[in-house]
Amino acid sequence: MSRLSDANVALAHDIIRRYPRPKSALIPLLHLAQEQDGWVSDDAMSHLAELVGVTPAEVKGTCTFYEMFKLHPVGTYMVNICTNLSCQLLGGEELLHHAEETLGIRAGGTTEDGMFTIEDVECIAACTEAPCIQVNYRFGLRLTHDDFDDIIAALRAGNTPDKLITSNPGEPIPSHGTLGLARQTMTEEQTANIIAPEQIHEAPVWLTAAAKDN
Amino acid sequence: MAIGDYVPHAPGYVETPGTKIVTSRFTYEDSYTLERYEATGGYEGLKAALKRTPEEVHGETRDATLLGRGGAGFPAGIKWGFCPPEVWPRYLVVNGDESEPGTYKDRLLMERDPHQLIEGCLIACYAIGLSQCFLYVRGEMAIAQQRIADALNEAYAKGYIGQNILGSDFSVDIVLHWGAGAYIVGEETALIESLEGNRGMPRLKPPFFPAAVGLYGQPTIVNNVETLANLPWLMNNSAEEYKKYGSETSPGTRMFAVSGQVKRPGVYEVEQGVTTYEDLLYGDDYCQGMRDGRTLKAFVPGGGSAPWLFPEQVSLPLEARPVGAAGTMLGSGAIMVMDDSSCAVKSALRLVRFYARESCGKCTPCREGTSWEEKILQRIYDGHGRPGDIELLLDVADNISPGPYPVASDESQGLEAVPFPPKQTTICPLGPSSVAPITSALRRFRHEFDEKIAMAATANHPEISVDLDSKAEVSS
């Protein structure tokens, strides 16, 4: 697949500027690559290496540590079903089994039409609302098997399922790779003082001013 | 919506009687907007702090005995004091990588009240001279990231963050950073590695804790989301006022997520120390007892890493010291309840599997040991256990977290408690945490393990069959 588009390169530079050292931007940039292509390709990793000034191997080293980054194409919708203890006690494993049977794939697999990937995941922080799932990191809570079928049917029909929680009601579920629909925007005029730590030698001015007052 | 009801726009949160310090805005549907935040006393704590010297703000936090809410429970004011003098710059890293099984309170705080967290960060930065703050949000929390991004943009535009905040000489930048799915990154040194763009593997400490040598080798304060969310209230009131809530050693309130087989699981903000597990599990305002007329079997008192407690211990107060004295921990405030229909082998297996999957692979005892623990538990659960498997399991556990684990002995034969906090042959506590569910289950429910192993010994194992009618088995 591809390197970052020009628009995304501009965004990448914006992100890199927020960190005292460029390599710190690597995880957000890997997310950006995944947002563009739905997965992280070798070409994208080489491109990120150029942007932050490290080797492609270092980018791959970081990328492969984190399970949200996919090194091969996955479904448009990543369906993560929690089976950790709180969900397991209330039917998480049965829900996973139902999902596997309904979609005809095992956890880790992708449907033939490229629409859905199922994952058997660890705790996703909605334990009181078990059994819970995430579809492209949007929650579905206290789901029955019928609720699950409704979600799949709505997504196949191109609608936002009622049972998935978005930041604003009715907001679309973006395809895999896009997380929050808003980005932090920091113009250079807005930022206070983001520079490398080597260039700072003194206590911040508000501390020294307060000390003088005393 | 009345007291005692779920708050529909904050799924899981239940409004209960009593003073709310960090969840006071959760009942507003638009609680995450700057407009609502300012209309309900927002950023007043920052203004109050800016009228005082940084040292006074630090002192107020120290006097309040604000305990860290991430799991270790270390007082934030004292942690702040560990920065070596005259080493600059110093950084703040906010730990929003909440992934401990059973835990969620930080996600609600970030989704429902992002400005409160931002204000807390600003107060901390002002107090100890931190020049930049990184808000590290768990990768899977897309809505929290979206809300925080919007909130930061609003706060920058209004002059709450950036150059010369509210006309003072205080300037700081807050950057939203997000992870990509790794539990271990919740460990503070792994969090820093991850923020430097590396694989999230913990650093060896001591000698250097992050407050001395952290991000980019500089002094770095790592604080939990809930800890920082307390600061605006503290600045608007006082340490003295704060200490009117909770108990002497654990003042203030805390958020507890109670999940599992109770009638009304939920997230509750209650006073520490004066509330007990019994209140939470059985109280009418809280979980209202077990489902379906079942009885309590065991509960995890403070996140997946905590040794379990049993029915006779429900009267323990929600306070670090007594829970610690009972051989476990309040941890991250996650309570997972198992009733008498649950299987102890299965529960232990499911928790151990978590640690096996999340081990970062740096230390051999954890990388190899946790997956062996999982394999052994899995075969016991599947009915293929072998005689001696329990001893083998404890031997593997002993290599990760040295015992003593009295072999072939449960509490009816004199095993009092499992060692806690655990010893470790590893750099961080992840591997040793996998031992807690095993020893907890064995201590009380050893007979369930023995029965499964005995069944395996006598079972006439059928040939392994594949369900050919299952659509999932058909490969394309």
Side-chain angles (χ1 to χ4, degrees):
Chain A
M1 281 289 278
S2 57
R3 294 160 62 88
L4 294 191
S5 67
D6 289 348
N8 281 336
V9 169
L11 263 174
H13 284 301
D14 260 359
I15 293 171
I16 292 168
R17 249 200 310 275
R18 293 174 201 169
Y19 296 92
R21 289 192 182 157
K23 196 184 175 190
S24 281
L26 207 44
I27 291 176
L29 294 187
L30 284 161
H31 277 299
L32 187 62
Q34 184 151 287
E35 187 173 331
Q36 177 181 294
D37 298 334
W39 60 291
V40 186
S41 65
D42 281 349
D43 281 351
M45 284 190 269
S46 298
H47 195 181
L48 297 187
E50 292 164 26
L51 290 170
V52 300
V54 299
T55 66
E58 283 176 279
V59 178
K60 195 160 198 167
T62 297
C63 182
T64 51
F65 187 81
Y66 299 92
E67 64 190 31
M68 280 174 77
F69 296 132
K70 307 301 174 195
L71 297 170
H72 48 81
V74 292
T76 311
Y77 297 104
M78 176 66 70
V79 181
N80 291 349
I81 301 172
C82 177
T83 58
N84 205 310
L85 184 56
S86 297
C87 283
Q88 182 256 310
L89 289 168
L90 296 178
E93 289 184 341
E94 289 78 5
L95 184 62
L96 173 67
H97 185 70
H98 173 76
E100 290 179 331
E101 290 294 315
T102 308
L103 295 174
I105 47 173
R106 284 282 179 241
T110 301
T111 53
E112 254 179 67
D113 60 3
M115 281 283 279
F116 299 101
T117 298
I118 309 179
E119 286 192 342
D120 165 13
V121 296
E122 296 299 342
C123 188
I124 47 179
C127 317
T128 70
E129 307 308 293
C132 60
I133 71 168
Q134 285 186 322
V135 177
N136 288 351
Y137 306 103
R138 272 70 179 168
F139 280 104
L141 304 173
R142 299 196 188 208
L143 295 187
T144 63
H145 294 188
D146 287 344
D147 292 337
F148 182 85
D149 295 345
D150 290 347
I151 288 174
I152 297 298
L155 290 170
R156 281 203 195 279
N159 302 325
T160 299
D162 302 335
K163 280 273 175 182
L164 291 184
I165 298 170
T166 51
S167 185
N168 300 299
E171 212 170 59
I173 308 293
S175 59
H176 177 253
T178 302
L179 294 170
L181 292 178
R183 292 181 202 281
Q184 185 178 8
T185 51
M186 279 167 87
T187 62
E188 273 186 273
E189 303 80 67
Q190 275 182 325
T191 58
N193 194 22
I194 301 174
I195 51 174
E198 295 82 7
Q199 292 170 272
I200 302 176
H201 305 288
E202 285 173 359
V205 56
W206 70 91
L207 276 194
T208 44
K212 264 182 222 149
D213 289 347
N214 284 346
Chain B
M1 177 174 44
I3 295 253
D5 280 352
Y6 282 112
V7 176
H9 49 263
Y13 178 72
V14 183
E15 200 188 357
T16 54
T19 300
K20 305 291 169 246
I21 291 179
V22 291
T23 64
S24 62
R25 288 181 195 85
F26 279 24
T27 46
Y28 296 107
E29 203 171 338
D30 60 350
S31 59
Y32 51 89
T33 61
L34 182 60
E35 199 181 347
R36 172 63 65 191
Y37 192 65
E38 285 180 326
T40 49
Y43 291 108
E44 292 301 322
L46 173 66
K47 289 173 194 162
L50 291 177
K51 287 188 189 127
R52 308 169 72 182
T53 67
E55 184 45 49
E56 281 167 2
V57 175
H58 186 177
E60 196 79 53
T61 310
R62 204 168 28 219
D63 293 346
T65 326
L66 173 60
L67 302 181
R69 304 292 204 252
F74 195 79
I78 305 216
K79 194 184 215 180
W80 292 0
F82 288 159
C83 288
E86 302 314 316
V87 183
W88 309 99
R90 296 169 175 174
Y91 296 107
L92 174 64
V93 179
V94 182
N95 189 345
D97 193 64
E98 178 177 62
S99 333
E100 178 80 17
T103 310
Y104 82 102
K105 59 195 177 64
D106 298 342
R107 178 172 70 78
L108 286 181
L109 286 170
M110 293 188 284
E111 286 179 4
R112 298 306 315 169
D113 206 344
H115 283 287
Q116 178 176 252
L117 172 62
I118 291 168
E119 189 178 355
C121 296
L122 292 166
I123 292 165
C125 289
Y126 176 73
I128 34 180
L130 309 172
S131 39
Q132 197 176 346
C133 166
F134 299 93
L135 243 165
Y136 195 120
V137 182
R138 183 175 170 187
E140 288 91 337
M141 297 178 180
I143 304 302
Q145 293 156 20
Q146 185 168 336
R147 296 262 168 89
I148 289 176
D150 281 334
L152 284 171
N153 292 341
E154 286 177 311
Y156 260 106
K158 269 280 190 108
Y160 291 120
I161 320 175
Q163 195 75 254
N164 297 107
I165 293 166
L166 300 175
S168 70
D169 51 10
F170 171 47
S171 305
V172 76
D173 285 307
I174 301 181
V175 171
L176 169 63
H177 187 89
W178 59 109
Y183 164 70
I184 187 57
V185 169
E187 197 276 343
E188 58 181 5
T189 58
L191 188 72
I192 288 168
E193 279 292 322
S194 180
L195 187 50
E196 290 184 4
N198 301 326
R199 295 170 77 84
M201 290 177 163
R203 295 174 180 173
L204 193 57
K205 57 174 189 181
F208 297 118
F209 287 83
V213 180
L215 185 65
Y216 314 128
Q218 297 297 126
T220 302
I221 296 297
V222 183
N223 276 156
N224 171 262
V225 168
E226 191 189 350
T227 315
L228 292 162
N230 275 279
L231 293 175
W233 190 96
L234 183 62
M235 289 301 122
N236 281 322
N237 296 274
S238 65
E240 204 182 333
E241 190 70 17
Y242 188 78
K243 286 167 127 171
K244 286 183 185 161
Y245 302 99
S247 68
E248 200 182 334
T249 56
S250 298
T253 61
R254 244 193 110 155
M255 291 171 77
F256 290 93
V258 195
S259 59
Q261 293 162 313
V262 285
K263 270 193 199 137
R264 190 174 65 180
V267 179
Y268 302 94
E269 182 179 358
V270 299
E271 285 186 58
Q272 304 192 76
V274 296
T275 318
T276 64
Y277 283 105
E278 190 165 18
D279 296 336
L280 267 189
L281 264 46
Y282 293 99
D284 279 345
D285 286 331
Y286 305 104
C287 297
Q288 302 169 344
M290 300 299 117
R291 282 173 184 236
D292 309 328
R294 292 275 176 181
T295 52
L296 176 63
K297 176 172 183 167
F299 61 102
V300 183
S305 310
W308 304 352
L309 290 176
F310 304 105
E312 71 276 13
Q313 289 164 303
V314 290
S315 58
L316 279 170
L318 295 162
E319 183 177 358
R321 282 191 192 184
V323 177
T328 180
M329 63 175 177
L330 207 51
S332 56
I335 302 164
M336 294 187 274
V337 183
M338 297 166 252
D339 72 21
D340 58 347
S341 69
S342 68
C343 167
V345 183
K346 178 80 189 200
S347 298
L349 165 63
R350 195 57 196 79
L351 285 170
V352 166
R353 186 177 158 212
F354 171 79
Y355 295 101
R357 289 173 84 174
E358 295 295 339
S359 173
C360 80
K362 188 168 187 172
C363 310
T364 313
C366 169
R367 183 184 64 235
E368 304 297 325
T370 50
S371 55
W372 274 108
E373 286 171 344
E374 184 199 342
K375 285 184 189 114
I376 298 164
L377 280 167
Q378 183 77 56
R379 77 177 177 226
I380 296 175
Y381 179 73
D382 287 344
H384 301 288
R386 304 164 192 173
D389 263 358
I390 293 176
E391 291 72 18
L392 181 60
L393 198 53
L394 288 172
D395 187 43
V396 175
D398 188 65
N399 283 329
I400 310 172
S401 178
Y405 304 115
V407 171
S409 165
D410 70 4
E411 61 182 355
S412 65
Q413 294 161 335
L415 173 58
E416 277 297 317
V418 293
F420 198 85
K423 292 184 212 157
Q424 55 194 62
T425 59
T426 50
I427 287 174
C428 88
L430 187 148
S433 295
S434 72
V435 176
I438 296 173
T439 49
S440 299
L442 274 175
R443 179 186 166 202
R444 179 66 59 105
F445 309 110
R446 161 123 196 183
H447 55 278
E448 292 186 29
F449 290 76
D450 287 336
E451 279 161 24
K452 284 206 178 288
I453 292 171
M455 266 161 53
T458 56
N460 187 11
H461 287 299
E463 280 179 39
I464 293 170
S465 62
V466 178
D467 177 9
L468 290 175
D469 292 332
S470 162
K471 278 199 277 174
E473 293 293 356
V474 181
S475 58
S476 51

